[in-house]
Amino acid sequence: MRMYDVIRKKRDGGELTRDEIRYFAEGYVNGEIPDYQAAALLMAIFYRGMSEEETAELTFAVRDSGERLDFSGISGIRADKHSTGGVGDKTSMIVVPIVASLGIKVAKLSGRGLGHTGGTVDKLESIPGFRTDMPEEEFIRAVNQVGAAIIGQTRDIAPLDKKLYALRDVTATVDSLPLIVSSIMGKKLAADDDCIVLDVKTGSGSFMKTLEDSVQLAEAMVSIGKRAGKKMMAVITDMDRPLGHAVGNALEVAEAVDILKDRGPEDLREISLILSSAILYLAGKAGSMDECRLLAEDAVRSGIAFQKFEDMIRIQGGDPACIRDPALFGKAPYEKEITAASSGWITHMNTEDIGKASLLLGAGRNTISDVVDPLAGLMLLKKTGDPVEKGEPLARMYTSDPERFAKAEEVYVQAVRTGQEAPAPVPLVHRIIT
Ligand code: URA
């Protein structure tokens, strides 16, 4: 087989066979196929797309390119939740303790923030002492003992994805449906879960800006997960405005704690409860999503979900005192308000740019080696649909370096549009795909 022929076949709209996909995947991962040929194939895939069969084969090739986690030592039903990435999305820190408090095991591998999106690992690391790099045996022991643990993807999982993602990033081929599906699902399938719930974001803060694209992405991922024998559900949720009020690492942990204490922003609570219900339903905890939601609500109201989060933090070496009293996180040394330039309603928030404003304050990273500032970020005081008066505060910025304020404020102000009429309400959950 020659890589030249594989590229030409895809360029001309042909369907690649399993052997051709494996030939490319194995050759690229072991360095026999050079970047320039891989880049040419990626661009051909970008333009020509892939059939469901091809996408599934590429996904399985990503999964099989590295180590696979063995969760057979974990007793009970194992579930995972994955978000396609957003701004202010702290749902993992809420959903994981809720479902674990109801007996579902969650051995979760999470990512770090990159670009405008945040990552659960960075957020959890703002808790003093919290370790996200446990060895596998300790991780499994922690899950068996308290029901859940969340660590970073430090092991050699899906090296094909690491190489391909880096190449996509510099060849304008990130936003290709089969490439996104194989990247996300290849990594998810390398873990050993029974049920997977996908939170597929849609809108200006997500990879998929239109509902139509998000539905296609969700359907493709659900279908591939089922082929691999998993129970799957995707919830398409709104990311045309940030989720909750907090954007930034410790700020988001504190807001997640608020929800676990049965208070906090309504949109975050709602999406967290729906995702929890979806996991509980797939895991067979009750016969309908509505019944599962009641279980999840009860877990929050009774305090068992909060207790579970505390147990999880303790077993991962973190100091639970600061989730009992988030004031112990401390405050960024500098804060500044952004005020409204005119009266009216907030009609739109370019959510990707709000993520960038938070990054500019120090809460995110441009390259994987950047160090995040745990206390930096934004508190959004007004969101899409809220009325504002001229001069009223829109958001509060936090940073350790006051020189960062000017640029972050400029980006934030550009991202928020006001008008003279209230915008039509947008649903938080657009669709559920089973
Ligand atoms: N997240 C991933 O892991 N991969 C993609 O391609 C897009 C989002």
Side-chain angles (χ1 to χ4, degrees):
M1 207 176 289
R2 291 192 314 159
M3 189 57 195
Y4 175 90
D5 299 316
V6 175
I7 297 167
R8 194 173 63 170
K9 185 172 179 189
K10 186 41 76 185
R11 181 200 71 184
D12 295 342
E15 181 168 358
L16 302 179
T17 62
R18 178 180 192 279
D19 285 350
E20 285 163 338
I21 290 171
R22 289 276 164 168
Y23 165 77
F24 159 66
E26 283 157 24
Y28 187 51
V29 117
N30 66 27
E32 280 161 21
I33 292 170
D35 280 344
Y36 53 81
Q37 284 190 308
L41 181 65
L42 291 179
M43 191 56 82
I45 292 171
F46 182 88
Y47 278 111
R48 291 294 190 173
M50 279 185 137
S51 67
E52 199 181 319
E53 204 59 43
E54 287 175 295
T55 309
E57 287 305 344
L58 183 58
T59 304
F60 299 149
V62 169
R63 175 194 65 190
D64 298 340
S65 65
E67 282 183 57
R68 302 211 19 206
L69 292 175
D70 174 9
F71 290 167
S72 57
I74 298 175
S75 56
I77 295 180
R78 304 176 298 256
D80 194 7
K81 169 244 158 212
H82 178 81
S83 155
T84 57
V87 177
D89 180 7
K90 66 281 287 174
T91 53
S92 288
M93 292 183 285
I94 303 166
V95 172
V96 169
I98 289 178
V99 302
S101 74
L102 293 163
I104 309 301
K105 297 285 171 43
V106 190
K108 185 160 180 50
L109 300 180
S110 281
R112 293 189 181 277
L114 191 60
H116 74 280
T117 64
T120 304
V121 166
D122 292 327
K123 295 171 199 183
L124 287 169
E125 283 180 352
S126 61
I127 300 169
F130 193 94
R131 290 188 300 125
T132 56
D133 60 350
M134 288 178 153
E136 190 173 342
E137 314 82 72
E138 196 184 343
F139 176 50
I140 288 181
R141 213 176 316 123
V143 175
N144 272 325
Q145 216 167 314
V146 303
I150 302 180
I151 57 169
Q153 290 175 355
T154 50
R155 295 158 39 96
D156 188 24
I157 287 172
L160 175 58
D161 180 61
K162 286 198 186 82
K163 279 193 86 171
L164 281 181
Y165 199 91
L167 192 59
R168 287 164 61 204
D169 217 13
V170 294
T171 55
T173 51
V174 168
D175 46 348
S176 149
L177 189 123
L179 297 179
I180 296 176
V181 170
S182 53
S183 165
I184 293 177
M185 290 306 291
K187 285 178 291 211
K188 286 287 114 183
L189 297 179
D192 189 10
D193 294 297
D194 306 302
C195 321
I196 303 175
V197 167
L198 302 166
D199 178 6
V200 178
K201 303 288 184 192
T202 193
S204 60
S206 67
F207 277 104
M208 293 293 164
K209 309 288 185 208
T210 70
L211 181 58
E212 198 189 349
D213 285 349
S214 306
V215 169
Q216 265 191 27
L217 176 66
E219 285 176 347
M221 292 198 291
V222 164
S223 152
I224 284 174
K226 283 185 178 169
R227 267 183 194 235
K230 310 290 177 191
K231 291 187 178 164
M232 298 290 305
M233 197 185 292
V235 184
I236 300 186
T237 65
D238 187 60
M239 191 37 74
D240 211 35
R241 74 198 94 173
L243 190 53
H245 299 300
V247 183
N249 299 296
L251 294 170
E252 292 195 36
V253 177
E255 193 169 71
V257 166
D258 270 346
I259 300 292
L260 290 171
K261 290 208 164 153
D262 210 14
R263 47 186 201 231
E266 194 44 43
D267 58 346
L268 176 61
R269 173 186 152 82
E270 181 61 22
I271 290 187
S272 302
L273 287 172
I274 287 173
L275 294 170
S276 303
S277 320
I279 293 177
L280 296 170
Y281 178 70
L282 287 185
K285 284 300 282 186
S288 71
M289 286 278 283
D290 287 346
E291 286 170 84
C292 289
R293 185 185 170 112
L294 293 178
L295 293 175
E297 283 175 359
D298 227 43
V300 173
R301 207 172 302 122
S302 66
I304 58 170
F306 177 76
Q307 181 60 51
K308 191 56 75 181
F309 192 41
E310 210 178 305
D311 295 344
M312 192 188 103
I313 287 169
R314 197 176 291 109
I315 206 157
Q316 294 197 234
D319 179 2
C322 52
I323 67 150
R324 274 184 244 124
D325 176 13
L328 295 175
F329 277 120
K331 251 186 169 191
Y334 300 94
E335 61 179 84
K336 182 171 189 282
E337 276 181 357
I338 301 175
T339 52
S342 57
S343 299
W345 274 268
I346 298 192
T347 55
H348 185 250
M349 300 176 94
N350 182 324
T351 306
E352 179 167 342
D353 285 348
I354 291 173
K356 284 182 188 152
S358 167
L359 189 157
L360 287 166
L361 292 167
R365 52 166 71 77
N366 277 310
T367 69
I368 206 74
S369 56
D370 287 353
V371 176
V372 300
D373 174 352
L375 299 176
L378 289 154
M379 278 307 282
L380 314 181
L381 307 174
K382 301 281 177 188
K383 296 211 306 179
T384 307
D386 288 340
V388 286
E389 293 291 332
K390 184 175 173 182
E392 223 185 333
L394 290 177
R396 204 170 292 128
M397 302 183 284
Y398 297 92
T399 187
S400 305
D401 175 3
E403 292 199 354
R404 292 172 176 262
F405 281 139
K407 185 70 194 158
E409 179 164 356
E410 185 189 325
V411 170
Y412 194 87
V413 167
Q414 289 286 326
V416 178
R417 229 179 288 144
T418 44
Q420 288 316 303
E421 276 177 44
V426 174
L428 280 174
V429 173
H430 292 267
R431 210 165 296 178
I432 291 184
I433 288 162
T434 52

